[in-house]
Amino acid sequence: MTDPTTAPTRAAAQWLADFAAALARNDIDAAVSLFEADSFWRDLVAFTWNIRTQEGPDAIRAMLQARLADVQPTAFAVEGEATEADGVVDAWFTFETRVARGRGHLRLRNGKAWTLLTTMTELKGFEEKTGENRIKGAEHGVHKGRKTWLERRRDEESTLGYTEQPEVVIIGGGQGGIALGARLRRLGVPAIIVERNAKAGDSWRRRYKSLCLHDPVWYDHLPYMPFPDDWPVFAPKDKIGDWLEIYTKIMELNYWSSTTAKKARFDEASQRWEVTVEREGNPVVLRPRQLVFALGVSGYPNVPKIAGAENFKGEQHHSSQHPGPEAYAGKKCVVLGSNNSAHDICAALWEHGADVTMIQRSSTHIAPSQSLMELALGGLYSEQAVKNGIDHHKADLIFASVPYKIMHTFHIPVYEEMKKRDADLYARLEKAGFMLDFGADGSGLFMKYLRRGSGYYIDVGASELVANGSIHLKSGVNIERVNERSVTLTDGTELPADLLVYATGYGSMNGWLADLISPEIADKVGKCWGLGSETPKDPGPWEGELRNMWKPTQVDNLWFHGGNLHQSRHYSQFLALQLKARMEGIDTPVYERAPSHHVR
């Protein structure tokens, strides 16, 4: 009698054995025949030196024809026990290539692959010095001229960027730059992180006073050093700022604070960038081989040009510059926008006695925090998930194993349930005039985040204030004109205003390039972020991956790193491996480098 607990494992092992055998004898047709007609192979660097999803057997065949001889994949082996649910077998596996080791995930339906994920985990001969391979640290014995750790560290800090040049310069010392810096440090890649703020973590400390993470702690760990197990579920901004500052010290990152990048150009003769920075008032020219922009999810703040704004007698600023609510008790406050920042700022102003009106220009997705945690994130990122054996490393790979082409189908049932669970809140919001949506196809928050990076609020309390009228609402309108002490809306309404906050989002990340390098380079790279889904604010063509993120761009030696804490942690591994391979002279032929679309 068949033991049902091992049947999925046997099925996965047989598929991997057949796949490995077909690849070993260079029988690409046999390998492709193991995939469904509606199948996907997502590769994170291991096969393509890129972040690419091959959609369908023809794309899989083309990739193997181009890459199989060079990759030389071997040693496919099931890792742990496979599982089966609803006719889908889920299995983890390990494998090797000519130059690397990897880990993957497989979903089988009716014996054929539905989704395949392959990821590079380490380069052979350039493994991180961890566990049994960690360095000793102490030098036992007696040696003349021996230097202490502190002396060596100070030597590095005084020479790197001056008499010694880094391999990589990372512009941006927030969570993304710090996470990537830690990965590179572990791989022995000399890197300097350039940050204009005075201290690591200041990009969090300087935000509005009430800001807390809207994502739970299990989703937000940094590489190598998870938060303590009593860390709050939703960390306040200043606590995150302190953690980032401490992390840069513990990870021994070469972090140049109070440093502003002024200009960058690529020197063809030396094949190095020349990055001019001003460090504590002094000009320094850095000459790295690789340049990474790690400036978050967005570019410059979007501040709308509104007639009469220059004559406003009150205060006006973008949400990124909002100092907090304390000075506005009793004041008339108008917040343009209905995203996360708009809701947070409106709620904090109301708490401090301000009369606040939110102006909602277009429909917004609302995801109540508790429902989001339980329905969308709980299976992967929660205390229960950890108890079930899914730590954030495994959760990241499960998340990554779902191709973007079909990801919305995984999310739609979540938000259908959310509509039912939170029907009362949604009904009261709509009664108050709030314009609600659940994304173009009902797939909710995360797909909106990936497609456009805007148009949603994770509700941590402000929605109730909108629903009950504590936060006044004007929806379906915009500001037509700013007057000396008021704003006139497009429906003719005039609102008195002492404070005007523009919670109007940000431009694309390639906007930074126009100023720091050139408009031509910015346009050659094209827009960053978005999938090409043809949904609002995400024009096609279809990309299959996030544009320009964590992978080679159309400009050699120029990279983008960013995203939320989860993405900064997960994808920093794959960007760091690409940079390390180039430093060590490993051949890195990029398969299907994505074309650029949509200039700034």
Side-chain angles (χ1 to χ4, degrees):
M1 182 173 170
T2 303
D3 180 356
T5 62
T6 60
T9 304
R10 285 203 304 273
Q14 186 61 59
W15 189 93
L16 286 169
D18 293 344
F19 186 57
L23 296 180
R25 63 178 186 268
N26 200 35
D27 190 344
I28 290 174
D29 286 340
V32 173
S33 73
L34 296 169
F35 289 81
E36 283 188 346
D38 185 23
S39 57
F40 304 86
W41 181 348
R42 187 172 192 225
D43 181 62
L44 305 184
V45 185
F47 277 69
T48 60
W49 290 110
N50 201 350
I51 294 179
R52 284 287 301 165
T53 300
Q54 312 307 319
E55 299 178 356
D58 289 345
I60 291 168
R61 177 181 287 104
M63 188 273 282
L64 286 174
Q65 287 171 340
R67 296 294 303 132
L68 181 57
D70 180 47
V71 175
Q72 298 176 28
T74 58
F76 288 88
V78 174
E79 182 181 55
E81 291 291 327
T83 59
E84 184 171 5
D86 301 324
V88 178
V89 171
D90 274 86
W92 296 95
F93 63 92
T94 55
F95 66 98
E96 295 187 16
T97 70
R98 181 173 55 83
V99 299
R101 298 181 188 89
R103 192 178 187 203
H105 183 270
L106 170 68
R107 289 186 182 90
L108 294 176
R109 291 194 302 202
N110 300 315
K112 292 200 171 187
W114 174 30
T115 71
L116 180 67
L117 171 73
T118 48
T119 75
M120 183 182 290
T121 57
E122 62 182 3
L123 292 162
K124 293 178 180 177
F126 304 104
E127 297 83 358
E128 294 182 4
K129 293 178 173 61
T130 62
E132 293 178 352
N133 297 321
R134 72 177 79 219
I135 63 170
K136 282 196 168 58
E139 292 183 52
H140 295 150
V142 179
H143 309 285
K144 285 185 176 181
R146 171 167 53 181
K147 290 188 176 182
T148 64
W149 168 84
L150 181 60
E151 289 168 330
R152 292 195 304 272
R153 185 79 185 101
R154 285 176 175 167
D155 285 348
E156 180 182 14
E157 289 173 342
S158 66
T159 59
L160 191 65
Y162 296 98
T163 58
E164 300 288 336
Q165 286 302 316
E167 175 73 12
V168 179
V169 164
I170 302 167
I171 297 179
Q175 63 208 32
I178 287 170
L180 179 59
R183 299 278 193 191
L184 293 172
R185 183 78 179 181
R186 290 276 285 257
L187 287 169
V189 178
I192 290 174
I193 302 168
V194 171
E195 170 58 45
R196 66 183 176 184
N197 286 317
K199 292 191 299 183
D202 278 354
S203 54
W204 284 90
R205 296 186 187 98
R206 292 170 57 140
R207 296 299 304 280
Y208 53 90
K209 182 179 178 181
S210 61
L211 177 64
C212 288
L213 284 179
H214 290 182
D215 299 320
V217 62
W218 306 278
Y219 188 76
D220 292 331
H221 297 294
L222 293 178
Y224 312 121
M225 197 167 85
F227 295 117
D229 59 12
D230 68 340
W231 196 263
V233 174
F234 301 110
K237 69 180 183 71
D238 295 285
K239 194 172 178 68
I240 287 290
D242 289 349
W243 184 260
L244 291 171
E245 184 179 5
I246 291 164
Y247 184 90
T248 62
K249 293 178 181 177
I250 292 172
M251 293 296 169
E252 301 178 23
L253 305 186
N254 293 299
Y255 192 92
W256 284 20
S257 57
S258 301
T259 304
T260 303
K262 295 292 191 180
K263 207 69 184 168
R265 61 174 290 271
F266 190 72
D267 181 59
E268 292 290 346
S270 65
Q271 288 294 292
R272 285 181 175 269
W273 289 94
E274 290 183 359
V275 185
T276 302
V277 304
E278 188 175 282
R279 187 184 191 193
E280 297 175 339
N282 298 311
V284 182
V285 178
L286 300 171
R287 293 181 171 84
R289 285 193 178 87
Q290 309 289 342
L291 181 60
V292 181
F293 283 81
L295 292 161
V297 179
S298 311
Y300 292 116
N302 282 330
V303 180
K305 296 188 188 317
I306 302 175
E310 69 278 6
N311 300 319
F312 187 56
K313 300 296 187 185
E315 289 185 55
Q316 58 181 325
H317 48 244
H318 189 265
S319 58
S320 59
Q321 301 300 314
H322 184 62
E326 290 80 6
Y328 307 107
K331 299 289 182 69
K332 300 283 188 179
C333 303
V334 174
V335 177
L336 179 62
S338 53
N339 55 16
N340 270 330
S341 296
H343 278 83
D344 284 349
I345 290 169
C346 285
L349 287 167
W350 177 85
E351 284 182 330
H352 283 76
D355 182 304
V356 59
T357 300
M358 176 188 291
I359 299 175
Q360 183 190 27
R361 297 168 295 172
S362 57
S363 66
T364 309
H365 172 54
I366 303 295
S369 175
Q370 193 61 35
S371 295
L372 188 70
M373 284 180 62
E374 293 175 10
L375 298 174
L377 291 173
L380 297 182
Y381 300 98
S382 66
E383 205 61 38
Q384 188 57 51
V386 174
K387 290 177 181 176
N388 294 341
I390 302 176
D391 63 7
H392 61 282
H393 302 293
K394 194 167 191 178
D396 288 350
L397 289 173
I398 295 172
F399 211 98
S401 73
V402 180
Y404 290 127
K405 186 79 168 181
I406 58 173
M407 186 176 280
H408 65 287
T409 67
F410 284 63
H411 287 259
I412 289 170
V414 169
Y415 293 93
E416 288 296 322
E417 181 60 31
M418 194 177 290
K419 285 180 188 176
K420 297 175 189 174
R421 178 184 289 208
D422 299 294
D424 176 65
L425 173 65
Y426 293 134
R428 289 187 296 113
L429 279 169
E430 290 189 312
K431 186 176 180 181
F434 195 87
M435 300 183 296
L436 285 170
D437 72 57
F438 282 81
D441 49 13
S443 57
L445 186 142
F446 200 71
M447 294 310 300
K448 264 200 159 188
Y449 169 71
L450 293 170
R451 290 165 171 169
R452 55 183 280 189
S454 64
Y456 52 83
Y457 167 56
I458 300 175
D459 178 27
V460 293
S463 288
E464 180 59 39
L465 297 176
V466 174
N468 67 27
S470 298
I471 294 172
H472 310 307
L473 176 69
K474 291 290 293 183
S475 59
V477 296
N478 205 336
I479 298 176
E480 187 172 84
R481 182 172 185 82
V482 179
N483 310 307
E484 288 190 356
R485 293 288 179 184
S486 66
V487 297
T488 301
L489 306 183
T490 49
D491 66 356
T493 304
E494 186 173 352
L495 298 176
D498 302 303
L499 170 69
L500 179 53
V501 179
Y502 301 107
T504 45
Y506 300 82
S508 176
M509 283 177 267
N510 68 326
W512 302 109
L513 304 187
D515 289 345
L516 282 168
I517 306 174
S518 72
E520 292 76 21
I521 291 294
D523 293 345
K524 186 175 181 181
V525 168
K527 190 176 179 181
C528 300
W529 212 258
L531 301 169
S533 63
E534 298 282 11
T535 58
K537 297 192 178 181
D538 185 28
W542 175 249
E543 297 276 338
E545 295 288 343
L546 282 170
R547 292 190 187 98
N548 285 315
M549 297 305 299
W550 315 296
K551 61 186 178 183
T553 67
Q554 283 292 322
V555 176
D556 287 339
N557 307 76
L558 179 64
W559 310 78
F560 286 89
H561 176 59
N564 58 28
L565 279 157
H566 151 250
Q567 291 170 307
S568 293
R569 172 187 68 245
H570 178 61
Y571 287 101
S572 60
Q573 175 183 359
F574 305 106
L575 177 48
L577 286 166
Q578 292 173 82
L579 295 169
K580 174 66 172 178
R582 284 161 173 78
M583 182 181 115
E584 299 298 345
I586 296 171
D587 191 28
T588 57
V590 178
Y591 180 70
E592 287 197 343
R593 189 185 303 250
S596 60
H597 296 288
H598 313 300
V599 299
R600 292 154 289 142

